[in-house]
Amino acid sequence: MTEGSENQELSSGMAAFEAKNFSLAMQFLSPLAEAGDMVAQHRVAIMCQNGLGVVRNEARALAMMQAAAEQGLAIAQHGIGFMYLEGDCVAQDSAAAVKW
């Protein structure tokens, strides 16, 4: 995939996500997330966490949210902190919640 096509895939995936067409969003964003795009990772995490367009997948939600958070995406850092705070997709851990 070239940079231009990656940008187009990300734009298409984000548009599908915003339009609540989560199955289509997952088709566009999942390959980008696997390739390390932090914005795509964050959106894939949300879809996996909430079962949007896919069957709820806690392990993938946590892995994608953590990958985006570790790359410095502030909203993903908030997201993983909240996961730890609430015990959603991960064992509740107040110290980890504060860390993130």
Side-chain angles (χ1 to χ4, degrees):
M1 209 180 295
T2 66
E3 186 175 333
S5 66
E6 286 179 14
N7 289 340
Q8 182 60 45
E9 298 286 312
L10 183 61
S11 294
S12 297
M14 296 297 284
F17 185 96
E18 295 302 325
K20 298 184 178 9
N21 187 343
F22 299 114
S23 295
L24 184 60
M26 187 62 83
Q27 288 176 27
F28 282 117
L29 297 175
S30 187
L32 297 173
E34 295 300 330
D37 184 286
M38 65 183 174
V39 173
Q41 289 169 335
H42 176 248
R43 295 301 173 112
V44 167
I46 291 169
M47 290 185 282
C48 289
Q49 181 181 11
N50 296 292
L52 303 172
V54 294
V55 174
R56 180 172 157 90
N57 183 333
E58 293 183 356
R60 188 164 187 221
L62 178 61
M64 289 285 113
M65 192 70 77
Q66 184 159 351
E70 287 175 349
Q71 290 189 68
L73 187 65
I75 195 163
Q77 292 170 341
H78 175 269
I80 197 166
F82 198 77
M83 288 171 131
Y84 279 110
L85 182 67
E86 296 293 316
D88 187 9
C89 300
V90 66
Q92 189 173 15
D93 182 337
S94 297
V98 170
K99 172 191 167 204
W100 288 106

